Amino acid sequence: MAEIKKYVYSFGDGKAEGDADMRNTLGGKGANLCEMNRLGLPVPPGFVIATEVCVHFYQNEWTYPFNLREQVQSAMKHVEIITNKIFGDSQNPLLVSVRSGARTSMPGMMDTILNLGLNDTTVQGLAAMTGDERFAWDSYRRFIHMYSDVVLGLKTGDLDPFEEILEKVKTTNGRKTDFELTASELKQVVSEFKDLVKRKSGKSFPESPEEQLWGAVGAVFRSWMNDRAKEYRRMYQIPEEWGTAVNVMAMVYGNMADRSGTGVAFTRNPASGENALYGEYLMNAQGEDVVAGVRTPHPIAHLKDEMPENFAELERIAAILENHYKDMQDVEFTIEQGKLWMLQTRSGKRTGRAALRIAIEQVTEGLINEKDAIRRLDPDTLNQLLQPTFDESNKDQAVADGRRLTAGLPAGPGAAAGKIALSTEAVEAYVAQGHTAILTRLETSPDDIRGMKSAVGILTARGGMTSHAALIARQMGKVCVVGCEEIEVDYSAKQIRIGSITLSEGDEISIDGFTGEVLQGLINTKPSSVIRKYLHGEDVQGSKSLELYDHIMQWADRFRDLRVYTNADLPEQCEQAIAFGAEGVGLCRTEHMFFGEDRIQVVRSMILAPDAKKRREPLAKLLAMQRDDFAGIFRAMDGKAVTIRCIDPPLHEFLPHDAAEIEGIVIELGLTTTAVQHQIDEYKEFNPMLGMRGCRLGIMFPEIIEMQIQAMMEAACIVQKEGKQVVLHVMIPLVSHVYELNHQKAIVDEVAERVFKNEGCSEVEYLVGTMIEIPRACITADAVAKTAEFFSFGTNDLTQTTYGLSRDDSGKFLPHYINNGIYPANPFASIDEHGVGQLMQMAVERGRSTRPGLEIGICGEQGGDPHSIYFCHKLKLDYVSCSPFRVPVARLAAAKAALDSQ
């Protein structure tokens, strides 16, 4: 007889069938619940339905695998034995929570149901068992509300008919808060809730605990594919095929009057990184009250005065968990009549500054080593240290002018200003119009994920430092202020009110994520301390952010193997990149120098000249311009490698399009309008990105590349005579056949020899290589490498030509592809390892088989993408090249890639 596959894993009473290493099977939450049991911490008993069931659920038309129900029944019996309660019993009912739990934390994206198992009979048993009728009916109304939303889908958008009933009953009875409602008033709420369910769904609210349980399990699995979960997975590149686990756990109650409560705590401050227990709690409440931000909770420090024994135990457990996991932990807890229970632990989301501080201080404390610290950091968090802050003088003036509206809790550091947007749709509309927007809500919910992503800042009237808004803002690196209780949000009128001031959607506000202040109008910003020191050369004193940045960058440079170059077309861009730690220029786009106001007319004259003779005069003008450009870059780089790409775009991109521009060319060249228009028409192509561009231009118009090479070599001689070293890499673009490269290299060498002789300078060190951006070049890389002295992957074009799609035109359908799972991610954002990546690997292996030690890098936009940098390290490339402001991110990503591969 075949062995029955295990899908359900139990935990409780200090024992567990799983542990922290089983995240792939149990999800992060389930694995950590099992681990806390093994550590002997107070965790309510329960069980985990494995992620594999979720995968089966979607692959088999929302059905469950054989024997799952029997395994769940057996696990529930185990919980009953430990708790001495019975699921569905009228006298001694066991209630459970049902929660999601993917292997990677997705806070708030999927669904949770609390108090499951209540019905008209068991609520009476719960009241009798606890001696607290009010508590029993409060739990019942919470359950109906949550189940109707999550399982029955009766809430739509911002309209919550259950909240409307609750508010009506409170108003009628003169109650300000939920916990002031009496048992009889809560019974009225329950009755009206059930009537609403019947009206909305056409069915009575389910009374069977068994039916409730499987309804909740199915809802959690279905939530894996809800819009907000899919959006979150796209944002953080979480594979859809992972699925979620379902965690079923015996209820413990934070809403059992004054000696009960619930909270969320971090073992360190997630905003600043300070080493102190940090969090919030509410008495007489359940967990969703804290996380959802419906009530503004109290700082965790107040618990020390209110319930000192529980606070001391929480501190003790926090220390155990941080020492065990070697990382800052985010825990959820409930106190039931003076007894502390741990409901969850996970690595806490934190701001970029906090992440750096925690990593450095944990190394100092001996908890982790420097390599662990680098492995843990997300390279993109460095962007937060580069973000601007408000200019203090402008902010002070705004306060003096009476523009300070209110203040809340500073949940996400930084400075943000934009239009008030009361919905995701409003945020996206303003951003589409070119404006910045502040998502402004009573409290955010997981459905706001798209708006939070697009907004520059987030502002809520409710919630605390552990609310959904605060948690997601820290993860996204967004400026965030929460818990501004003076703000009244009127969604129907599209207005917010703060005292006597009324602002409408579209009005402008500024929020300070360091102080929590909200100000009317736009406040000017100033660069961060990192930018001020490294780009502006200021003497910045006492900046913690700068200190953290310098510390981490020193570690990163020690551990990385990949060199980090920059994509730069101007001397000032080179200086910026060097300040950020760039070790060379991996891509200088010569054509970008042609678009200056004083140059474009000369370029057009060169292109539209009827023959090579007429082309010589504008080329001579361009020679002087390009020589000066290159000399400036060589001076800035002072001995660091400079890779200059010869002209690449199709010539039509430079041509005039309106009558006035054409008339200027007519006068310049002394031709007729008809002749010039004929020339313009000659350059038009049906598919210009695959037409006359790159090395094809150099072959068809050799005088153009001759001018560029002459400019490069003369500039190199000038700078070398000034006493500076020049290392020049000449890059020929869009090569598909080695013969193309042979043709162009011959021109480079011939012009270089002539210039060196004419200038009387010692030979400049230069190499001739090619951009690898055509699949054929990858396939024939062994032949190409016979001529090429270096390779540089142009992954923008390599992706286009591999996929057969245009980056410029694919925006019409690419989002649909990604949203519907046809493509797992945008192939232009991160390297497609299975397609483009395989071609890159082929080029590396074949190129180095011909020329051992061949230098190979990447200079496409993906050169600054951490995911792509990891892949480049795996391919054993020599360098990555990215924009100046991505250089710090690339340095850290390269170090992380090197350490992760050990």
Side-chain angles (χ1 to χ4, degrees), residues 704-759:
I704 297 177
I705 189 174
E706 286 174 9
M707 177 275 294
Q708 290 198 307
I709 300 304
Q710 183 177 344
M712 292 179 208
M713 298 304 171
E714 288 180 355
C717 288
I718 291 169
V719 173
Q720 190 162 281
K721 287 177 181 179
E722 295 171 357
K724 293 181 180 289
Q725 186 182 358
V726 175
V727 178
L728 171 61
H729 294 177
V730 179
M731 185 155 66
I732 308 301
L734 214 73
V735 165
S736 60
H737 198 293
V738 68
Y739 291 168
E740 293 173 315
L741 184 59
N742 291 343
H743 179 281
Q744 296 290 275
K745 187 176 186 301
I747 293 175
V748 174
D749 291 340
E750 179 186 340
V751 173
E753 183 179 357
R754 184 174 71 243
V755 168
F756 296 154
K757 181 177 180 180
N758 292 342
E759 295 296 322

Side-chain angles (χ1 to χ4, degrees), residues 604-616:
R604 288 168 175 170
S605 298
M606 180 267 294
I607 295 171
L608 294 173
D611 53 47
K613 184 177 179 181
K614 285 271 189 183
R615 200 170 288 121
R616 292 292 176 185

Side-chain angles (χ1 to χ4, degrees), residues 381-427:
T381 60
L382 288 176
N383 286 328
Q384 296 179 38
L385 273 68
L386 308 181
Q387 297 305 309
T389 60
F390 285 129
D391 183 283
E392 289 302 321
S393 60
N394 290 100
K395 182 181 169 185
D396 291 345
Q397 186 60 53
V399 173
D401 293 342
R403 289 163 55 196
R404 184 184 185 278
L405 298 172
T406 186
L409 301 171
K419 292 182 177 293
I420 296 171
L422 301 179
S423 67
T424 288
E425 291 72 24
V427 170

Side-chain angles (χ1 to χ4, degrees), residues 56 651 686:
H56 183 283
L651 294 181
F686 289 109

Side-chain angles (χ1 to χ4, degrees), residues 15 73 252 278 322-323 360 404 430 463 495 502 582 619 662 673 717 743 758 773 775 789 802 806:
K15 301 174 184 177
Q73 288 172 358
V252 288
Y278 185 88
E322 180 164 309
N323 283 320
I360 292 168
R404 184 184 185 278
Y430 288 135
Q495 293 178 334
T502 298
L619 279 173
I662 291 174
T673 302
C717 288
H743 179 281
N758 292 342
E773 48 193 334
E789 295 168 305
T802 300
S806 163

